[in-house]
Coordinates of all heavy atoms in Angstrom, one line a residue:
I1060 N 52.8 95.3 41.5 CA 51.9 94.7 40.5 C 52.3 93.2 40.4 O 51.4 92.3 40.5 CB 52.0 95.3 39.2 CG1 51.3 96.7 39.2 CG2 51.4 94.5 38.1 CD1 51.4 97.5 38.0
I1061 N 53.6 92.9 40.3 CA 54.0 91.4 40.3 C 53.6 90.7 41.6 O 53.1 89.6 41.5 CB 55.5 91.3 40.0 CG1 55.8 92.0 38.7 CG2 56.0 89.9 40.1 CD1 57.3 92.1 38.4
R1062 N 53.8 91.4 42.7 CA 53.4 90.7 44.0 C 51.9 90.5 44.0 O 51.5 89.4 44.5 CB 53.8 91.6 45.1 CG 53.7 90.9 46.5 CD 53.7 91.9 47.6 NE 52.5 92.8 47.6 CZ 51.3 92.5 48.0 NH1 51.1 91.3 48.5 NH2 50.3 93.3 48.0
I1063 N 51.1 91.4 43.6 CA 49.6 91.2 43.6 C 49.2 90.1 42.7 O 48.3 89.3 43.0 CB 48.9 92.5 43.2 CG1 49.1 93.6 44.3 CG2 47.4 92.3 43.1 CD1 48.6 94.9 43.9
L1064 N 49.9 90.0 41.5 CA 49.6 88.9 40.6 C 49.9 87.5 41.3 O 49.2 86.5 41.0 CB 50.4 89.0 39.3 CG 49.8 90.0 38.3 CD1 50.8 90.1 37.1 CD2 48.5 89.5 37.7
L1065 N 50.9 87.4 42.1 CA 51.3 86.2 42.7 C 50.6 85.9 44.0 O 50.7 84.9 44.6 CB 52.8 86.2 43.0 CG 53.7 85.7 41.8 CD1 53.5 84.2 41.6 CD2 53.5 86.4 40.5
D1066 N 49.8 86.9 44.5 CA 49.1 86.8 45.8 C 47.8 86.1 45.5 O 46.8 86.8 45.2 CB 48.9 88.2 46.4 CG 48.3 88.1 47.8 OD1 48.1 86.9 48.3 OD2 48.0 89.1 48.4
T1067 N 47.7 84.8 45.7 CA 46.5 84.1 45.5 C 45.8 83.8 46.8 O 44.8 83.0 46.8 CB 46.8 82.8 44.7 OG1 47.8 82.0 45.5 CG2 47.4 83.1 43.4
S1068 N 46.2 84.3 47.9 CA 45.5 84.1 49.2 C 44.2 84.9 49.2 O 44.1 86.0 48.5 CB 46.4 84.4 50.3 OG 46.7 85.8 50.3
G1069 N 43.3 84.5 50.0 CA 42.0 85.2 50.1 C 42.0 86.3 51.1 O 41.1 87.1 51.1
L1070 N 43.1 86.3 51.9 CA 43.1 87.3 53.0 C 44.4 88.0 53.0 O 45.5 87.5 52.6 CB 43.0 86.6 54.4 CG 41.6 85.9 54.7 CD1 41.7 85.3 56.0 CD2 40.5 86.9 54.7
D1071 N 44.3 89.3 53.3 CA 45.6 90.1 53.5 C 46.2 89.6 54.8 O 45.6 89.6 55.8 CB 45.2 91.6 53.5 CG 46.5 92.4 53.7 OD1 47.1 92.8 52.6 OD2 46.9 92.7 54.8
S1072 N 47.5 89.3 54.7 CA 48.2 88.7 55.8 C 48.4 89.7 57.0 O 48.5 89.2 58.1 CB 49.6 88.2 55.4 OG 50.4 89.3 54.8
S1073 N 48.3 91.0 56.8 CA 48.5 91.9 57.9 C 47.2 92.3 58.5 O 47.2 92.6 59.7 CB 49.3 93.1 57.4 OG 48.5 93.8 56.3
E1074 N 46.2 92.5 57.8 CA 44.9 93.0 58.3 C 43.8 92.0 58.4 O 42.8 92.2 59.0 CB 44.5 94.2 57.5 CG 45.5 95.4 57.4 CD 45.7 96.0 58.8 OE1 44.8 95.9 59.6 OE2 46.7 96.6 59.0
G1075 N 43.9 90.9 57.7 CA 42.8 89.9 57.7 C 41.6 90.4 56.9 O 40.5 89.9 57.1
I1076 N 41.8 91.2 55.9 CA 40.7 91.8 55.1 C 40.7 91.1 53.8 O 41.7 90.9 53.1 CB 40.9 93.3 54.9 CG1 40.9 94.0 56.3 CG2 39.8 93.8 54.1 CD1 41.3 95.5 56.2
S1077 N 39.5 90.6 53.4 CA 39.4 89.9 52.1 C 39.5 90.9 51.0 O 38.8 91.8 50.9 CB 38.0 89.2 52.1 OG 37.9 88.5 50.8
T1078 N 40.5 90.6 50.1 CA 40.8 91.5 49.0 C 40.3 91.0 47.7 O 39.9 91.8 46.8 CB 42.3 91.7 48.9 OG1 43.0 90.5 48.8 CG2 42.9 92.4 50.1
H1079 N 40.2 89.7 47.5 CA 39.7 89.1 46.3 C 39.4 87.7 46.6 O 39.7 87.1 47.6 CB 40.7 89.3 45.2 CG 42.1 88.7 45.5 ND1 43.1 89.5 46.0 CD2 42.6 87.5 45.4 CE1 44.1 88.8 46.2 NE2 43.9 87.5 45.8
A1080 N 38.7 87.1 45.6 CA 38.3 85.7 45.8 C 39.5 84.8 45.8 O 40.4 84.9 45.0 CB 37.3 85.3 44.7
A1081 N 39.5 83.9 46.8 CA 40.6 82.9 46.9 C 40.4 81.7 46.1 O 39.2 81.3 45.9 CB 40.8 82.6 48.4
G1082 N 41.5 81.1 45.6 CA 41.3 79.8 45.0 C 40.6 79.8 43.7 O 39.9 78.9 43.3
D1083 N 40.8 80.9 42.8 CA 40.2 80.9 41.5 C 40.8 79.8 40.7 O 41.9 79.4 40.9 CB 40.2 82.3 40.9 CG 41.7 82.8 40.8 OD1 42.1 83.4 41.8 OD2 42.3 82.5 39.8
A1084 N 40.1 79.4 39.7 CA 40.5 78.2 38.9 C 41.8 78.3 38.3 O 42.6 77.3 38.1 CB 39.4 77.9 37.9
D1085 N 42.2 79.5 37.9 CA 43.5 79.7 37.1 C 44.7 80.0 38.0 O 45.8 80.1 37.5 CB 43.3 80.8 36.1 CG 42.2 80.5 35.1 OD1 42.1 79.4 34.7 OD2 41.5 81.5 34.6
S1086 N 44.5 80.1 39.3 CA 45.6 80.5 40.2 C 46.8 79.5 40.1 O 47.9 79.9 39.9 CB 45.1 80.6 41.6 OG 44.2 81.7 41.7
D1087 N 46.5 78.2 40.3 CA 47.6 77.2 40.3 C 48.3 77.1 39.0 O 49.5 77.0 38.9 CB 47.0 75.8 40.7 CG 46.6 75.7 42.1 OD1 47.1 76.5 42.9 OD2 45.8 74.8 42.5
E1088 N 47.5 77.2 37.9 CA 48.1 77.1 36.6 C 49.0 78.3 36.3 O 50.1 78.2 35.8 CB 47.0 77.0 35.5 CG 47.6 76.8 34.1 CD 46.4 76.6 33.1 OE1 45.2 76.6 33.5 OE2 46.7 76.6 31.9
F1089 N 48.6 79.5 36.8 CA 49.4 80.7 36.6 C 50.6 80.6 37.5 O 51.7 81.0 37.0 CB 48.5 81.9 37.0 CG 49.3 83.2 36.9 CD1 49.4 83.8 35.7 CD2 49.9 83.8 38.0 CE1 50.1 85.0 35.6 CE2 50.6 85.0 37.9 CZ 50.7 85.6 36.7
L1090 N 50.5 80.1 38.7 CA 51.7 80.0 39.6 C 52.7 79.1 39.0 O 53.9 79.3 39.0 CB 51.3 79.6 41.0 CG 50.5 80.6 41.8 CD1 50.1 80.0 43.1 CD2 51.3 81.9 42.0
N1091 N 52.3 77.9 38.5 CA 53.2 77.0 37.8 C 53.9 77.6 36.7 O 55.1 77.5 36.5 CB 52.4 75.8 37.4 CG 51.9 74.9 38.5 OD1 52.5 75.0 39.6 ND2 50.8 74.2 38.3

Side-chain angles (χ1 to χ4, degrees):
I1060 286 173
I1061 298 172
R1062 189 196 67 79
I1063 294 175
L1064 278 173
L1065 272 291
D1066 186 5
T1067 56
S1068 64
L1070 295 177
D1071 182 88
S1072 58
S1073 60
E1074 301 292 339
I1076 301 173
S1077 179
T1078 55
H1079 53 267
D1083 54 271
D1085 297 328
S1086 293
D1087 287 340
E1088 188 177 353
F1089 178 81
L1090 291 175
N1091 291 335

